[in-house]
Amino acid sequence: MSLEISSLTSRYLDSCKRHDVLPNSAVLSWFYKANVKKSIYQKCTVVVLLDQLNDADFSPLIDFFHANDASEIEAVDVIHNSPCVLNQDCVFSLMRAINSKVRVVDLQNMSLKEDDLRDLFKGGLDCQVLNLRSTEIRKLDMFGRLMKIHTLNLDFCTSISTLQKDTFACMPNLMRLSMCGTRVANLWTTAAALSKLPSLVELRFQNCLCCNDTGPCTSLHACERTGLGHSNKDFCTEPPIENIAFRDSGADEAVMSLESDAVFKERANSQIEVSFGKLHVQDKGDLADTFMSSKKYISHHPSPICFEKHYREYMITSLPRLGVLDNLPIGKTDREIAKFVNSRHYEFLPYKRQHKESVVSVLHTRETGTSGMHKQKSSSQHAYSRSLCAAKLGSSAWPLLDRIYDIGHINKEDCESIRPRQFEYHPSNSSLMAFGTLDGQVVVINHEKGNLVSYIPCFETDNSILGLCWLKKYPSKLLAGSDNGSLRLYDIKNMQPTAANSYCTSTTVTFDNFEQLTSVHVNSTDEQILASGYSKKVGIYDISSGKRVQLFTDMHQEPINVAKFANHSPFLFVTSSFDRYVKMWDLRQKPVRPCFAASSSRGNVMACFSPDDLYLLVSAVDNEVKQLLAADGRLHTNFEIAPTGSAHNYTRSYYMNGRDYIISGSCDEPVVRICCGQTGRRLRDIYLEGRDMSSLMNVQSLRGDPFRHFHMAVLAAQTRPSPKWEIVKVNLLASNHSTKDYSRDHFGPSYSLGG
């Protein structure tokens, strides 16, 4: 039998007597307000304000709601307005007692840990609106079933950096999501996670200053109706009740707390300005697009993803059902322009594939000889291999990341810390990789099995390995160059996989020192070594004798960080310098004048030849990456990677899949960017996180796997919360990732030196 609302007060007083607790006047006022709403035929809603409670108030309230589960109370909102110290177990018990009646759960600014939230949501929660603003939640895919939730606020949850595949699997009816001020940065994984929300219509990663919810900005009066089918008046006539910021479009009152004016003004200092240029508007009736085209939109509290080039166009294209992004409505013209921009700057799938296919479909096409969706002109194995790669890569936005070796425990006898500084794949043995360390050791591992092959200890103090190069005709020989100028050629056949007795002088060739060395390379015939350093000189060494045969001076006006021989010509080499020039040289001509010189707008960190020597890939400071024609130095492709503004963001880039794709990373950023080598379009970004997902690992060096398409290895460094150095294998054709965590002390090296 339903209880009269007027009797709720007496029921609460009886519960207080049973628990020997004095009634809380604030609780009595909640029931009074609910009674007023009932009397004027509004929804009978009890608003529980947690900051008005003490721990002793919870027991009678929990009993009250348990006993009145079938009462005429239609909804209960649980609100946390201001910081207060409460027993979290009591708070969670109260919400469980309310059970199906709970409509709004607002826990913003509560000191909640992930374990606390996991306990709260593991059994499911029937709330419609959830506000976890400024909490310490890190992973969202830990929730139970939240079938009724339509609005979620995660603003200023600064521990959130990545959205996983099943992040929103528990909330299929989510319509509105706000994630301003988080650390989310990856366009690809974010769009892939959000695409699994069929009902999502409002989204923001930054907000318009005048907007308190995810809906279209109320100051945009240029359009009669929005893309959601609501008139503008639907969004501006609803008065805020109880200082609530997120609206419930189906309710007669608002449902989330509005931050104070003081906090609002303070946070408003964090803002970016996005200027929309003039758009070609085909439909004169699309006034929203016309208004946006002429307005400068100032956004506030942006997450890092907002700074990605063409972020808005990418999200609009990836989420076709979205009606509002960052408080700006999405109109028909917006979608047309977004589609055009997206096609120019992003590659949907590798090798110009336009439609996703399953691996099974590709294999069936190969076996039956029928044409695929993209109709190959050739049925060659090469074409099917590309189709298979596209199918695998397109199946998941989350590649497999694998720490290839517990580098910190290779030398177990001395318990030394092995800190990699440079590495190279073996050119003919797909299982081998060599890396040199900050302390001068050289290590060869089988990266497929994870075991140590050879270990060469350091015999000099204060030197780091900055250059490594395998010989091609003598696959067991490895050249290593240190920053103290030493050059040594090792034969790993005679090196043991332990520190003891691993150094054999009879199979080691020592060369004349090269001052301030940063780079070494061997020519295509294994006859000569090219060395450069933090100077204006380049040295040529004879491998057989170990003698330096030529020393070229003043080839550049600033230090030459990297010099590389061509892959097929033993005479051609390229130098890249911080004087902003890249120069091609020919040893058959006296290197007084270069074959050509090409300039960058910032200092060049490195350059390398494409595998077929047709192109040069040049990387300058702060993401200036270009591909030049090796014949004359003309610009072929500008990859247009956004700069950070840092003069110390040293960028390195290499080829992958032959010369089909390039991979690029910088020492101040935790991201590897993958671009098409011919068009410059971005295929994917890979972000590197520590195992605990609380810290990012910046890119120090990287290489494409010469034997496996869409595989690479990345040397990554982390400084906080504890220093780590590790080499990470990335497999773009497999999904998910598993990582290992290492903790080692280290000093800060120079990230500008070497390739």
Side-chain angles (χ1 to χ4, degrees):
M1 180 176 177
S2 296
L3 298 172
E4 291 294 332
I5 195 69
S6 58
S7 69
L8 295 180
T9 299
S10 62
R11 293 282 179 155
Y12 168 67
L13 294 175
D14 290 342
S15 182
C16 289
K17 288 180 182 179
R18 289 195 300 272
H19 289 273
D20 195 21
V21 174
L22 290 175
N24 187 320
S25 59
V27 176
L28 294 174
S29 72
W30 302 344
F31 296 140
Y32 173 77
K33 291 178 181 179
N35 190 31
V36 171
K37 292 176 184 177
K38 178 73 174 179
S39 66
I40 59 175
Y41 304 103
Q42 289 186 359
K43 182 180 289 187
C44 180
T45 303
V46 174
V47 180
V48 176
L49 301 176
L50 295 176
D51 52 319
Q52 296 180 354
L53 297 177
N54 298 313
D55 287 344
D57 296 322
F58 281 95
S59 294
L61 273 176
I62 291 171
D63 280 357
F64 169 84
F65 282 109
H66 270 308
N68 291 281
D69 184 62
S71 73
E72 292 184 6
I73 295 178
E74 297 177 77
V76 179
D77 296 345
V78 181
I79 307 293
H80 181 260
N81 271 331
S82 58
C84 58
V85 179
L86 292 173
N87 186 312
Q88 292 179 1
D89 290 337
C90 293
V91 174
F92 295 165
S93 296
L94 175 62
M95 283 192 280
R96 295 188 186 100
I98 298 170
N99 199 11
S100 60
K101 299 289 185 180
V102 66
R103 182 184 65 165
V104 174
V105 175
D106 183 348
L107 302 179
Q108 65 171 308
N109 297 311
M110 283 193 74
S111 300
L112 297 174
K113 305 296 183 184
E114 280 198 11
D115 290 342
D116 303 325
L117 293 168
R118 186 179 292 109
D119 292 340
L120 173 62
F121 298 121
K122 66 182 179 182
L125 198 64
D126 288 334
C127 67
Q128 300 173 36
V129 176
L130 179 60
N131 186 358
L132 296 177
R133 178 190 178 101
S134 299
T135 57
E136 297 181 22
I137 184 171
R138 185 176 302 165
K139 292 194 299 183
L140 300 174
D141 49 346
M142 64 180 186
F143 288 159
R145 302 299 291 171
L146 300 171
M147 300 300 294
K148 293 183 180 180
I149 187 171
H150 57 66
T151 302
L152 176 63
N153 188 341
L154 297 170
D155 291 346
F156 306 108
C157 293
T158 55
S159 295
I160 299 178
S161 60
T162 301
L163 301 184
Q164 298 297 331
K165 180 180 179 181
D166 298 323
T167 292
F168 300 107
C170 61
M171 41 187 102
N173 298 308
L174 188 65
M175 299 175 63
R176 305 176 187 91
L177 174 64
S178 185
M179 298 188 70
C180 304
T182 66
R183 290 170 52 229
V184 173
N186 193 323
L187 277 176
W188 287 263
T189 56
T190 302
L194 295 174
S195 66
K196 298 181 181 297
L197 291 171
S199 302
L200 186 67
V201 291
E202 296 177 5
L203 171 69
R204 68 178 186 180
F205 287 98
Q206 56 191 343
N207 67 284
C208 181
L209 185 58
C210 64
C211 297
N212 302 325
D213 59 26
T214 58
C217 179
T218 55
S219 67
L220 299 179
H221 296 297
C223 58
E224 174 98 10
R225 301 180 66 82
T226 71
L228 294 177
H230 300 287
S231 64
N232 272 350
K233 64 181 181 179
D234 294 333
F235 299 101
C236 59
T237 59
E238 195 171 35
I241 297 179
E242 301 290 350
N243 288 332
I244 304 251
F246 261 71
R247 60 180 169 72
D248 179 356
S249 61
D252 55 2
E253 60 189 82
V255 293
M256 281 195 176
S257 301
L258 177 62
E259 59 189 344
S260 67
D261 289 340
V263 175
F264 204 75
K265 290 177 181 177
E266 178 181 353
R267 287 178 174 167
N269 292 328
S270 171
Q271 57 182 273
I272 62 174
E273 183 178 284
V274 181
S275 177
F276 294 92
K278 292 185 178 180
L279 308 182
H280 176 63
V281 182
Q282 296 177 342
D283 184 359
K284 294 183 180 180
D286 198 349
L287 299 178
D289 294 335
T290 307
F291 181 81
M292 286 173 54
S293 68
S294 61
K295 177 187 176 183
K296 279 193 174 182
Y297 167 74
I298 300 178
S299 71
H300 296 258
H301 318 125
S303 294
I305 192 173
C306 303
F307 295 95
E308 287 290 333
K309 235 176 184 181
H310 313 298
Y311 144 77
R312 181 172 175 84
E313 289 80 8
Y314 187 88
M315 298 300 289
I316 290 174
T317 304
S318 302
L319 304 172
R321 291 181 292 272
L322 199 63
V324 181
L325 178 61
D326 300 333
N327 298 124
L328 292 175
I330 301 170
K332 179 181 178 181
T333 304
D334 293 320
R335 295 196 183 281
E336 292 174 353
I337 292 176
K339 184 178 180 181
F340 173 76
V341 171
N342 218 48
S343 65
R344 284 190 60 187
H345 297 280
Y346 295 104
E347 192 170 79
F348 178 60
L349 288 172
Y351 300 114
K352 301 180 181 180
R353 303 307 196 255
Q354 298 300 319
H355 305 282
K356 286 187 177 182
E357 285 187 278
S358 68
V359 173
V360 172
S361 174
V362 174
L363 294 176
H364 180 265
T365 299
R366 183 182 65 180
E367 296 302 319
T368 60
T370 58
S371 61
M373 294 175 65
H374 42 267
K375 293 186 178 182
Q376 294 292 328
K377 293 181 180 179
S378 168
S379 59
S380 66
Q381 181 61 35
H382 183 64
Y384 283 116
S385 176
R386 288 185 167 191
S387 296
L388 195 59
C389 285
K392 290 181 177 180
L393 190 144
S395 65
S396 176
W398 295 266
L400 176 66
L401 304 183
D402 184 23
R403 273 63 176 174
I404 65 174
Y405 204 83
D406 192 345
I407 295 169
H409 295 85
I410 288 178
N411 189 4
K412 295 184 178 180
E413 296 178 357
D414 300 324
C415 295
E416 294 182 18
S417 174
I418 304 295
R419 303 174 297 171
R421 176 59 183 85
Q422 189 60 275
F423 74 97
E424 293 287 349
Y425 283 101
H426 195 283
S428 58
N429 188 329
S430 64
S431 66
L432 294 185
M433 175 187 289
F435 65 85
T437 74
L438 287 164
D439 301 304
Q441 300 109 322
V442 176
V443 182
V444 180
I445 60 173
N446 183 321
H447 66 88
E448 294 175 347
K449 297 181 179 179
N451 61 289
L452 185 63
V453 176
S454 296
Y455 176 88
I456 304 166
C458 174
F459 290 93
E460 297 178 272
T461 59
D462 299 327
N463 68 301
S464 299
I465 303 295
L466 295 183
L468 289 171
C469 189
W470 292 95
L471 271 62
K472 304 172 184 64
K473 294 184 177 180
Y474 307 97
S476 65
K477 293 187 177 181
L478 174 67
L479 178 68
S482 303
D483 59 2
N484 66 354
S486 67
L487 270 170
R488 288 188 172 89
L489 184 65
Y490 301 105
D491 192 333
I492 65 170
K493 289 189 303 185
N494 301 298
M495 304 297 176
Q496 301 299 317
T498 60
N501 302 319
S502 63
Y503 186 73
C504 182
T505 57
S506 63
T507 58
T508 301
V509 178
T510 302
F511 299 85
D512 296 337
N513 280 12
F514 186 89
E515 182 182 358
Q516 296 180 293
L517 183 145
T518 59
S519 169
V520 296
H521 200 234
V522 179
N523 71 355
S524 60
T525 57
D526 288 348
E527 295 173 343
Q528 292 183 322
I529 296 171
L530 180 66
S532 66
Y534 203 71
S535 68
K536 305 173 188 178
K537 303 175 183 177
V538 169
I540 303 292
Y541 292 79
D542 180 72
I543 289 183
S544 60
S545 66
K547 300 297 182 180
R548 187 168 64 198
V549 294
Q550 294 186 77
L551 181 64
F552 305 117
T553 60
D554 298 323
M555 302 186 86
H556 287 266
Q557 295 180 0
E558 295 291 339
I560 302 167
N561 193 49
V562 170
K564 296 277 189 183
F565 273 117
N567 293 304
H568 301 284
S569 170
F571 308 108
L572 294 177
F573 68 93
V574 64
T575 54
S576 58
S577 169
F578 290 117
D579 68 0
R580 304 185 181 185
Y581 278 93
V582 169
K583 297 181 180 181
M584 179 77 79
W585 307 88
D586 191 338
L587 288 175
R588 292 168 295 189
Q589 305 169 2
K590 189 176 181 180
V592 176
R593 298 182 60 183
C595 302
F596 65 79
S599 64
S600 302
S601 64
R602 291 177 283 272
N604 291 308
V605 179
M606 65 163 293
C608 65
F609 286 87
S610 63
D612 57 8
D613 288 341
L614 289 179
Y615 302 104
L616 281 177
L617 185 61
V618 181
S619 304
V621 172
D622 203 20
N623 294 326
E624 184 178 350
V625 182
K626 299 177 181 179
Q627 183 170 249
L628 310 178
L629 295 174
D632 53 18
R634 284 180 299 161
L635 177 66
H636 178 270
T637 309
N638 185 348
F639 293 96
E640 297 183 349
I641 301 173
T644 65
S646 170
H648 305 287
N649 190 32
Y650 299 104
T651 302
R652 294 167 176 86
S653 307
Y654 286 87
Y655 286 98
M656 181 179 71
N657 296 17
R659 59 174 169 85
D660 294 342
Y661 289 88
I662 68 108
I663 54 176
S664 181
S666 300
C667 69
D668 283 350
E669 298 178 90
V671 57
V672 176
R673 299 174 175 93
I674 306 168
C675 303
C676 176
Q678 293 301 302
T679 65
R681 296 191 189 103
R682 190 84 61 85
L683 174 65
R684 190 71 59 87
D685 284 357
I686 308 299
Y687 279 77
L688 304 176
E689 292 183 316
R691 184 178 181 182
D692 58 2
M693 298 179 68
S694 65
S695 57
L696 297 173
M697 305 193 71
N698 292 342
V699 178
Q700 306 308 309
S701 193
L702 70 172
R703 301 288 189 278
D705 190 322
F707 300 96
R708 303 167 181 86
H709 278 193
F710 295 107
H711 285 63
M712 72 182 84
V714 183
L715 172 59
Q718 171 185 315
T719 57
R720 291 183 303 224
S722 59
K724 299 179 181 68
W725 285 77
E726 50 196 28
I727 299 175
V728 183
K729 274 201 307 191
V730 180
N731 179 358
L732 290 158
L733 304 184
S735 61
N736 300 325
H737 64 274
S738 59
T739 61
K740 296 179 182 178
D741 197 21
Y742 321 118
S743 179
R744 293 291 181 269
D745 294 329
H746 73 91
F747 62 86
S750 173
Y751 301 134
S752 66
L753 304 181

